[in-house]
Every structure is written in C-alpha cells, then in structure tokens.
Amino acid sequence: VELFTRGELVRLITAITIVIAVSALAFGHIISGEVTGTLLGAVAGYVLGGITARRESKSKDGKDKEA
C-alpha cells in the first residue's frame, strides 16, 4: 500500500523501462558497452539512493521497526 501512496510504483516502472530499453539497445549494438555500463550504473545508483534515503527518513521519524 505504501508503494502506491508515495509514488514509488512510478519510479519502479521507470527504472525497469530504462533497463529494458538500454538492454535492447545494447543487444542491437546501437550503443557501446561503456555507454551501457554507465546507464545501468546510473539507474542502479538512482534506485539504491532512493532506498537509502527512505530508510534514513524513517529512522529520523522514529518509524524504523527493523532496528
């Protein structure tokens, strides 16, 4: 439920779409390996950065139940 209220579903769909598009362009030899690695690394950083930011904001609010 939290996934839908915070707009995370849109971020997830966007990241998956970018990964699929980059993979298709790489398999079609339209972009080079270096460009593929850079784009996939940027998407991974974006996704993991969002996860870290959410975790830190929950910790500051005192809502982190994992600790």
Side-chain angles (χ1 to χ4, degrees):
V1 176
E2 186 177 324
L3 182 70
F4 299 110
T5 59
R6 302 182 97 206
E8 298 300 317
L9 182 62
V10 174
R11 288 179 54 166
L12 178 65
I13 291 171
T14 302
I16 290 171
T17 303
I18 291 171
V19 168
I20 291 170
V22 169
S23 299
L25 292 171
F27 287 130
H29 301 288
I30 296 172
I31 57 176
S32 68
E34 292 84 10
V35 173
T36 303
T38 300
L39 291 173
L40 294 178
V43 170
Y46 174 75
V47 170
L48 295 175
I51 291 170
T52 304
R54 280 189 306 245
R55 208 175 266 172
E56 288 176 0
S57 69
K58 284 183 180 180
S59 294
K60 289 179 183 177
D61 292 342
K63 296 179 183 176
D64 190 14
K65 297 179 182 175
E66 295 176 358

